[in-house]
Amino acid sequence: MRKSAVLFAAVIAAAGLTGAPASATASADVPGLAITQVGYNAYGSDTVWNRNQEFVDVRNTGADAVNVAGLVVADQWAKSHVDDNDRNCNTLKVTSLAGIVTGADGSVMLPAGHTVRVYSGRGVPAVSAGGSVHALYMNSLCGYHGHIWGNGGDTAWITKGSDSESFAYDFDNGYTVKP
């Protein structure tokens, strides 16, 4: 990318003027949970060092806590390769969350209004200072330098048991997109 284009992108991002999606659609089928944001385009060239600028937010939109144990977050490639994805590329399965005690039955109860943020890169599970955002890390060794979300479009999926929800976007002029 030319310097002027990089500078323009940085100015637009700093001003919060990332534009509107050309199209984005969501299907809501996982009770109490919703994909609320996809950070699909890291600033600058995709490198192993900026993988954590790509993420998916899954929020508990209900009035009660939701058991997120076993929740799977994946991109379209992983969803379509469920039978031949022996490396578990582009997927994360929730087994625990920082700041939440796992129940004796293995349940992980995400309180109402809380968000699970799944980063593409590497890190240590953590909870935000306010306690409502629980960070998990795919540590993706797949994709381009571990970047799995398509900059020009992709579909984020969450699956819990037989329930699935997707959020598809087709966007090539920004960094994050919301339904």
Side-chain angles (χ1 to χ4, degrees):
M1 191 181 283
R2 294 190 342 242
K3 284 185 181 181
S4 60
V6 172
L7 179 58
F8 179 73
V11 169
I12 295 296
L17 303 171
T18 56
S23 66
T25 58
S27 68
D29 299 313
V30 179
L33 298 176
I35 298 168
T36 57
Q37 181 172 224
V38 177
Y40 66 90
N41 188 5
Y43 299 109
S45 298
D46 288 349
T47 69
V48 72
W49 307 111
N50 66 357
R51 293 183 296 171
N52 285 342
Q53 291 177 14
E54 295 189 0
F55 60 88
V56 172
D57 284 349
V58 179
R59 183 176 175 88
N60 178 348
T61 58
D64 299 316
V66 173
N67 184 5
V68 293
L71 178 72
V72 175
V73 177
D75 75 340
Q76 182 61 41
W77 182 90
K79 184 75 171 165
S80 65
H81 285 84
V82 106
D83 295 329
D84 62 347
N85 188 3
D86 57 340
R87 291 178 43 206
N88 291 320
C89 288
N90 307 6
T91 63
L92 178 118
K93 186 174 188 175
V94 176
T95 58
S96 64
L97 290 175
I100 305 238
V101 175
T102 302
D105 61 353
S107 62
V108 179
M109 302 305 289
L110 182 68
H114 282 224
T115 297
V116 176
R117 177 170 278 185
V118 179
Y119 291 99
S120 297
R122 181 181 230 175
V124 176
V127 63
S128 67
S132 65
V133 178
H134 307 269
L136 293 175
Y137 298 84
M138 278 187 181
N139 192 18
S140 178
L141 300 176
C142 306
Y144 184 73
H145 295 298
H147 293 258
I148 68 164
W149 302 106
N151 292 354
D154 204 342
T155 302
W157 286 90
I158 57 174
T159 303
K160 177 86 165 84
S162 62
D163 297 324
S164 287
E165 174 177 334
S166 66
F167 173 64
Y169 61 91
D170 178 9
F171 192 54
D172 60 1
N173 190 23
Y175 301 97
T176 64
V177 64
K178 298 178 181 183

